[in-house]
Amino acid sequence: MSATTIIDTAPLGALIRYTDGSPKPPARFTKKLAAWERSNGIGRLVKKEPPRPYSTWTAPASFTLHEGNFSSDGVILVTIMRSHAADSALTFDVVEVPQPGQVKILLDFGGTTELLHLAANETAAELWIAREGYRNARLEPVGASDDGRAEEANLAA
């Protein structure tokens, strides 16, 4: 599916795979493999942004995927986020959507909503907020009708 379809239909917290369609090069070709990995990967959908008008041009709608963290001794040192514009030539697939019973921890900032964490349940979400210290975060339980199985039906169509 296209990037526009992801922006229109995929819920925050969905696991998204993206690819340029090229085969993975052998590991011995480290530079080619690194280039391939920049256009082929997987991440959790954490933010959707509408088109942004500027004085000389308009930035297209986009979405951001959280691809992972690098940490040391339990401290996150680097967070890998990758944004894709609506006009991206890559192909996207929804691998997994948040399941009913999970809780999204969301932060509203600058007119957009960002997913901070996807917790297994409300207790885990409250513990995460207490540990991380986000005072303005809000909890949003995933229900069967709003983001769970109903979304899977929409994405399969």
Side-chain angles (χ1 to χ4, degrees):
M1 64 181 60
S2 69
T4 305
T5 306
I6 295 294
I7 293 168
D8 292 341
T9 62
L12 288 179
L15 206 54
I16 309 292
R17 178 178 290 125
Y18 59 93
T19 182
D20 62 2
S22 64
K24 185 176 181 177
R28 68 181 183 269
F29 298 112
T30 56
K31 289 183 181 178
K32 287 182 181 181
L33 183 59
W36 181 87
E37 287 172 345
R38 283 190 293 275
S39 298
N40 297 273
I42 192 166
R44 190 155 309 270
L45 182 61
V46 295
K47 187 174 11 175
K48 297 180 188 181
E49 294 190 71
R52 295 171 310 278
Y54 295 102
S55 58
T56 57
W57 67 292
T58 299
S62 64
F63 62 92
T64 303
L65 302 177
H66 176 260
E67 294 189 356
N69 296 322
F70 289 103
S71 61
S72 176
D73 295 326
V75 177
I76 296 173
L77 302 172
V78 177
T79 298
I80 308 299
M81 303 281 224
R82 191 174 306 260
S83 293
H84 299 277
D87 57 0
S88 174
L90 299 174
T91 302
F92 300 89
D93 291 312
V94 176
V95 176
E96 173 186 291
V97 295
Q99 298 301 309
Q102 289 183 310
V103 177
K104 296 177 187 178
I105 301 171
L106 303 169
L107 183 65
D108 297 318
F109 181 77
T112 62
T113 300
E114 182 174 351
L115 176 73
L116 298 174
H117 184 69
L118 185 61
N121 54 46
E122 192 164 341
T123 304
E126 289 170 358
L127 288 172
W128 188 90
I129 287 177
R131 185 179 70 232
E132 299 298 325
Y134 284 97
R135 286 183 256 162
N136 297 331
R138 64 183 168 87
L139 302 181
E140 183 178 293
V142 176
S145 62
D146 56 2
D147 280 338
R149 297 189 183 128
E151 275 300 324
E152 286 182 23
N154 289 340
L155 296 171

